Amino acid sequence: MFEVSMFQIFVIFMIILYIIKRPRIGKNEPPFVPYTIPILGHTYNYLFNPKKFIKECKEQYGDCFSIYVFGHVMTVVSRDSLTEVFRNSDDFDFSSAINELLPFHRLFTYNGGITKETNIFHAKTAREQVSGKLALNTNIVQKYLMKGMDKCIGDCNDPKIVDNTWLTFNNIVALSITNIFAGEEAAIHEDLIKSFGSFAFDVGSLLMIPPILSFIHPKLHEIVITLPMKFGWNPVSRHREVVMNRLRPVIEKRLKEKTILGNNYKPYNDLLEYYMNQPNFDYTIPDNLSYHVENLLVLVFASINTTSRTVVDALYDLAGRPEVLNELYEEALTINKECNGTITILEIQKMEKLDSFIKESLRHSDNILALPHYMISKSYTFSNGYTILRGRKVLMCADDMLKAKECYGDDAEEFKPFRFVNAKSPATKIDRSYIVFGGGRHACPGRFFAITETKLLLHKLIMKYKFSTKSGKIEKKIYIGPITIPSQSSLVFENRVKC
Ligand SMILES: *[C@@H]1O[C@H](CO)[C@@H](O)[C@H](O)[C@H]1NC(C)=O
Ligand SMILES: *[C@@H]1O[C@H](CO)[C@@H](O)[C@H](O)[C@H]1NC(C)=O
Ligand SMILES: *[C@@H]1O[C@H](CO)[C@@H](O)[C@H](O)[C@H]1NC(C)=O
């Protein structure tokens, strides 16, 4: 008798996989780091030991080398090679690499998701309407940050322990962003704020599925994570419905105002008004409103969760360093006196120490590998002579670049909160090594808004509270593979002025 056990099938499958998936490396490619475990390659080190692994590879192979992870060869770049990736945006594409992790083109069914083409519009919106309207919107942002603070942290006459810090501060940021994206009229609705606040979280849940099937083929991973959508589950559509329901009456009201007031109509400064002014806007066509609402949700995705992340990282960095908190309080107090508590864009620009501190906090985001790009032209030859072909994924050594000694000096590894004071180097300024907002022509256009919002919220927090880590120590971030999330330990808040 001839019996085939599961085990034998498994072994045969693995052998086939081994043969078809053996990495093929061309002649002039960056050095390929050798590995011992077939199929798995460097996956284990990538997931569980990324810092040491990448450091050792860099020491041995230089600023440009390739590793083998989840069944794929990936080229890892730092220093000059990294700069080249940003410079040559016709050869290297960020959106296709993001779509592989999160299939936006399938999740967003009306606006085509986030592609190289649609991104031009979204980037323009972020640059002109979000970052570009900072001065106009500071008051509203400030008002709702304060409201959010009162609601989510509130009175701390007795020391109050805040758990779930990221979620808490995400709710505060969501309240203020909903008001300047959807407008104050729509933002009175709790469900809209909740929808905006949890959008990135719901969509991002797909990120948590490990790409095991990529060992066989990356498309297989995409097919499986989008399978639930075939049965009607789509995290975007639920939120789209909420947003449409809340925006429709506001749109009707504004259109009425327009007909009544004519030239006397005073346009609102929110994103809704901007989308309403698009030449192809017609909310009576259901698909058309869906299209514009999805455009709005793309910006929601890109802004709320990332801004709250910046705030929370800075909070932890501050909560573990009471002497820095005191120094920032002094600065805040001076500025607050000058303007009698009402901050405008001018005061925000005066917060130099705070700006430096936030920049240093961002520089210490500690992501080892980030900003994946796909090489999309026929082939690309780096100035070091190495060549990669179309379809190669490129990952950036974020931590290595952000702590480059030639840019920050011998103490580049250290956390020096006031490193950038008087250095003409604000937190929004992109340069060769400061790559937290990407680089080149496609650097994040929302960064001016994100930094301003972060400064404003931290300013208000510093004025109102003393805060510290519960442990009294500087808390470390948590690694998930080569990227970090904020610490999950508690923070303690206490009113500065007791009553
Ligand atoms: C932010 O988004 C990421 C992934 O998209 C998610 O894992 C994280 O929990 C989100 N954070 C909050 C506070 O929603
Ligand atoms: C509605 O939206 C689509 C995009 O899906 C756009 O191309 C079209 O011109 C819009 N306007 C009308 C009136 O349909
Ligand atoms: C500052 O604000 C307080 C109350 O908010 C007000 O009583 C006071 O007159 C203001 N001072 C100036 C100089 O505007």
Side-chain angles (χ1 to χ4, degrees), residues 63-64 75-92 370-371 373 380-384 394-398 400-402 404 406-408 430-435 438-443:
D63 296 338
C64 186
T75 295
V76 177
V77 292
S78 189
R79 312 298 162 109
D80 290 346
S81 312
L82 183 153
T83 308
E84 276 181 56
V85 173
F86 285 138
R87 285 234 177 101
N88 297 287
S89 54
D90 289 337
D91 299 308
F92 294 96
L371 297 162
H373 282 67
Y380 180 82
T381 303
F382 287 97
S383 45
N384 55 22
V394 176
L395 296 172
M396 300 191 176
C397 285
D400 180 66
M401 192 78 228
L402 283 163
E406 71 267 27
C407 304
Y408 301 100
I430 306 298
D431 63 32
R432 171 179 139 82
S433 64
Y434 182 62
I435 57 163
R441 275 194 300 133
H442 296 291

Side-chain angles (χ1 to χ4, degrees), residues 18-291:
Y18 173 67
I19 294 168
I20 59 172
K21 292 292 313 185
R22 255 180 322 176
R24 279 173 273 267
I25 302 294
K27 230 176 134 214
N28 278 324
E29 291 220 25
F32 186 60
V33 179
Y35 60 87
T36 43
I37 316 164
I39 301 165
L40 267 189
H42 305 109
T43 309
Y44 182 86
N45 276 330
Y46 171 90
L47 287 177
F48 301 110
N49 186 22
K51 193 169 180 145
K52 194 159 160 273
F53 171 59
I54 294 298
K55 190 167 174 268
E56 286 172 358
C57 292
K58 243 208 85 189
E59 277 163 12
Q60 202 163 351
Y61 300 98
D63 296 338
C64 186
F65 54 87
S66 294
I67 57 175
Y68 189 53
V69 175
F70 291 123
H72 296 276
V73 179
M74 299 175 188
T75 295
V76 177
V77 292
S78 189
R79 312 298 162 109
D80 290 346
S81 312
L82 183 153
T83 308
E84 276 181 56
V85 173
F86 285 138
R87 285 234 177 101
N88 297 287
S89 54
D90 289 337
D91 299 308
F92 294 96
D93 177 39
F94 181 57
S95 32
S96 50
I98 291 302
N99 277 313
E100 184 190 83
L101 296 168
L102 275 179
F104 288 111
H105 53 293
R106 286 172 191 255
L107 291 164
F108 287 87
T109 38
Y110 293 94
N111 76 347
I114 301 173
T115 63
K116 218 171 158 50
E117 291 73 39
T118 60
N119 252 348
I120 296 169
F121 176 70
H122 300 310
K124 183 171 180 289
T125 312
R127 188 170 50 246
E128 292 172 5
Q129 302 298 318
V130 184
S131 285
K133 289 202 167 147
L134 271 176
L136 287 171
N137 283 327
T138 314
N139 247 335
I140 297 181
V141 171
Q142 182 165 205
K143 175 172 157 196
Y144 290 99
L145 284 177
M146 303 272 279
K147 274 202 173 163
M149 245 168 73
D150 282 345
K151 195 171 141 207
C152 302
I153 306 173
D155 177 58
C156 301
N157 231 350
D158 297 320
K160 187 185 253 175
I161 291 176
V162 176
D163 299 311
N164 292 327
T165 39
W166 195 5
L167 194 66
T168 306
F169 287 92
N170 193 66
N171 289 341
I172 300 175
V173 171
L175 176 62
S176 88
I177 291 191
T178 307
N179 274 279
I180 57 163
F181 278 18
E184 285 184 274
E185 294 151 289
I188 56 169
H189 298 290
E190 216 34 68
D191 60 349
L192 184 69
I193 299 160
K194 237 181 128 182
S195 207
F196 276 17
S198 58
F199 185 63
F201 177 78
D202 282 356
V203 174
S205 60
L206 291 173
L207 276 175
M208 292 296 137
I209 306 171
I212 302 291
L213 290 163
S214 287
F215 277 117
I216 305 170
H217 199 281
K219 277 274 172 262
L220 210 56
H221 175 66
E222 186 186 311
I223 290 168
V224 168
I225 59 174
T226 52
L227 203 59
M229 279 151 39
K230 297 243 166 8
F231 299 97
W233 178 88
N234 180 339
V236 174
S237 49
R238 189 164 62 80
H239 295 288
R240 193 179 51 232
E241 287 310 311
V242 173
V243 180
M244 282 169 65
N245 277 338
R246 291 305 182 193
L247 291 192
R248 211 177 276 115
V250 180
I251 293 168
E252 278 164 7
K253 185 184 148 267
R254 287 187 189 183
L255 289 176
K256 233 182 243 154
E257 270 177 45
K258 268 187 186 172
T259 24
I260 295 170
L261 296 172
N263 284 339
N264 291 328
Y265 176 77
K266 251 184 68 201
Y268 297 78
N269 287 321
D270 46 46
L271 277 185
L272 174 62
E273 187 85 1
Y274 174 70
Y275 291 123
M276 283 178 68
N277 284 331
Q278 292 305 303
N280 58 11
F281 182 88
D282 185 351
Y283 85 108
T284 54
I285 306 172
D287 280 6
N288 202 262
L289 186 56
S290 306
Y291 163 81

Side-chain angles (χ1 to χ4, degrees), residues 7-31:
F7 180 71
Q8 282 161 317
I9 292 177
F10 179 73
V11 170
I12 291 167
F13 176 75
M14 289 313 259
I15 290 171
I16 295 172
L17 198 59
Y18 173 67
I19 294 168
I20 59 172
K21 292 292 313 185
R22 255 180 322 176
R24 279 173 273 267
I25 302 294
K27 230 176 134 214
N28 278 324
E29 291 220 25

